[in-house]
Amino acid sequence: MPNGYLPIGERVRYRRRARGLSQLRLAGLVDRTEDWVSKVERGEIPVDRISVLIKLADALKVPLSDLLGEHNLPSEQAGALDETAGLRRVLSTVPALATSEPRDLAALEEDLLAATQLRAQAHYARAAAALPRLIIDLELTASASEGEVRGHALGLLSRAYGLAVATLVRYGEHDLAWVAADRGAYAAEPTGSPIERALAAYRLALAFVGAGRLNEAIYVVEAALERAMVAAERSADLRSLRGTLHLPLAVAQARKGDQSRAGEALHEAERLASGPDGRPVMSPDLRLATQYGPANVVVHRVSVAVDLADPGRALSLVPTVDPSGLSVSRYSRHLIDVAMAHNFRRDNGQLVGTLLEVEQLAPEQLAHFPLVREMLYAALRRERGPLNAQLHGLAERVGAV
């Protein structure tokens, strides 16, 4: 693949030719017309739905990240890859024990909380920098401990790997995210805790959804829900985690084009989001880690509507979103969905205004979300009349020109 940013249409053309496929053959594989493929490759039809990109990636037999351009950043953003270098080193080798003494578990728990808060505030680079040392220290402490202390350390280790998943997905490092999710599940198993096991399964599902591996995500969620069903009746946290698991399930079903099952998953997530008194029942640490609650269910309804190419439905839900119930990271991610809905409607003014809000609120979110560049590229192509300085300035800052 050539270096630097390329529009998605040109990436499709490059990969199609590399596979030796005609436009007609590719069209058949994704259930579209030859004319549609031709227009996509020429940039006349923007491909701004993840569900369509997943079908194209499957047909071309390439990772979703290849079409999104997550590993072909513009030169001014290439330094972002260094931000995950420490995590890459930790996750690319067999967990090794340090020569230092095990650290106090309370201090490690505080460090994990601090890293989780950094990610919630959309400070992804700082969270990524904190995690490698934390993971190594937790591996060492878990290995040197026994009994309840070991179980506690493994639970923290599983959550640290889960935080790595959430961070790596934001950087488009999907293969590494899967490794982190797998290690998190491995650490959670011997704890014997249904909560840690369900939380690890949730992170694994997120890794699969991020990579476009929708069937695997659905399988993981369904298996975790079945496993947690009995114990959930005795634990408010586990009941809430069952609700949390329905959110990636809804997204996966929507990206498969199954509106009915996506709606069922959202309904169940909404039902489990509050206790009998209408208040969220999940403990603060789990709520921070998962952002689960009524507000997050609503923003997932917006996201699902976008995935189903229903911008009217998505935008009609926006006024019902309560930002106070969401972290900076989650709310800024929601705003990108709102921008995508405006892009579907070819509304450059609303698109740019929404993305400028993201840039002000969480610049790292804007920088690391690949479809932002494609949306701005499409907006530039359809621009008519006087030059929109805000559009051009934003497109230049994110590398869409």
Side-chain angles (χ1 to χ4, degrees):
M1 175 70 74
N3 291 325
Y5 177 67
L6 286 175
I8 286 175
E10 293 186 28
R11 292 176 183 279
V12 170
R13 178 192 291 128
Y14 181 91
R15 290 301 186 186
R16 175 182 62 78
R17 289 176 174 173
R19 289 278 303 159
L21 297 175
S22 66
Q23 289 181 337
L24 180 61
R25 176 60 176 153
L26 177 58
L29 291 173
V30 297
D31 197 25
R32 299 278 180 160
T33 65
E34 183 180 7
D35 183 59
W36 181 87
V37 173
S38 177
K39 287 180 177 178
V40 163
E41 293 185 350
R42 296 198 306 270
E44 295 177 16
I45 296 178
V47 185
D48 44 18
R49 285 174 58 196
I50 294 291
S51 56
V52 177
L53 284 167
I54 289 171
K55 287 183 179 179
L56 283 167
D58 286 347
L60 295 168
K61 300 190 184 304
V62 298
L64 176 61
S65 58
D66 275 18
L67 298 187
L68 288 172
E70 291 168 326
H71 301 299
N72 297 89
L73 298 173
S75 58
E76 62 268 26
Q77 290 179 278
L81 295 177
D82 293 336
E83 295 170 7
T84 59
L87 275 172
R88 194 177 301 113
R89 283 192 295 271
V90 168
L91 295 169
S92 298
T93 59
V94 175
L97 299 183
T99 56
S100 58
E101 291 295 317
R103 289 181 57 200
D104 177 65
L105 265 184
L108 288 168
E109 193 162 8
E110 287 181 8
D111 288 351
L112 177 59
L113 175 61
T116 305
Q117 289 171 333
L118 284 172
R119 194 207 173 274
Q121 294 159 1
H123 297 313
Y124 305 123
R126 292 169 62 189
L131 279 167
R133 183 73 256 171
L134 179 59
I135 288 172
I136 290 171
D137 287 346
L138 282 166
E139 289 276 11
L140 171 64
T141 302
S143 177
S145 304
E146 296 179 352
E148 291 185 7
V149 175
R150 173 175 167 78
H152 186 194
L154 286 171
L156 295 177
L157 177 61
S158 179
R159 294 193 186 197
Y161 277 125
L163 182 58
V165 173
T167 304
L168 289 163
V169 165
R170 186 55 55 237
Y171 281 96
E173 296 272 9
H174 298 300
D175 289 342
L176 281 179
W178 186 88
V179 173
D182 186 59
R183 290 192 181 180
Y186 184 80
E189 197 62 31
T191 68
S193 167
I195 289 174
E196 299 303 338
R197 290 168 175 170
L199 184 57
Y202 167 70
R203 294 301 194 192
L204 182 56
L206 289 183
F208 280 137
V209 169
R213 297 169 63 176
L214 304 179
N215 290 331
E216 291 95 329
I218 292 168
Y219 173 80
V220 165
V221 170
E222 290 178 345
L225 287 172
E226 184 175 354
R227 191 177 193 186
M229 187 176 297
V230 176
E233 301 304 319
R234 304 190 299 271
S235 166
D237 275 343
L238 192 56
R239 180 179 185 274
S240 295
L241 276 170
R242 291 187 72 245
T244 306
L245 282 160
H246 281 86
L247 295 178
L249 178 61
V251 172
Q253 296 288 14
R255 291 181 181 177
K256 284 175 65 69
D258 196 328
Q259 181 176 359
S260 176
R261 289 184 178 176
E264 290 171 3
L266 286 169
H267 176 77
E268 192 67 4
E270 183 175 47
R271 183 182 72 83
L272 295 168
S274 303
D277 60 357
R279 297 179 182 178
V281 295
M282 183 178 268
S283 62
D285 60 329
L286 285 174
R287 193 157 59 246
L288 176 65
T290 65
Q291 292 294 295
Y292 180 60
N296 201 7
V297 175
V298 177
V299 299
H300 272 80
R301 288 192 180 279
V302 174
S303 182
V304 162
V306 168
D307 281 329
L308 291 169
D310 189 350
R313 169 67 174 162
L315 293 173
S316 73
L317 289 166
V318 171
T320 68
V321 173
D322 177 13
S324 67
L326 300 167
S327 68
V328 172
S329 179
R330 191 66 195 88
Y331 183 62
S332 59
R333 173 62 183 85
H334 158 68
L335 288 177
I336 291 178
D337 279 329
V338 176
M340 291 174 69
H342 289 308
N343 189 53
F344 287 154
R345 292 187 159 188
R346 307 172 71 83
D347 188 337
N348 280 10
Q350 292 291 342
L351 165 67
V352 173
T354 304
L355 291 180
L356 286 173
E357 187 177 353
V358 177
E359 185 179 43
Q360 172 111 18
L361 185 66
E364 290 185 57
Q365 180 80 266
L366 191 78
H368 297 306
F369 200 88
L371 280 181
V372 165
R373 287 178 283 147
E374 189 67 18
M375 285 191 286
L376 290 170
Y377 173 80
L380 289 169
R381 284 183 61 91
R382 63 176 174 253
E383 185 182 29
R384 299 291 183 272
L387 182 143
N388 184 331
Q390 287 187 321
L391 168 59
H392 283 259
L394 184 58
E396 187 171 342
R397 289 194 296 278
V398 303
V401 292

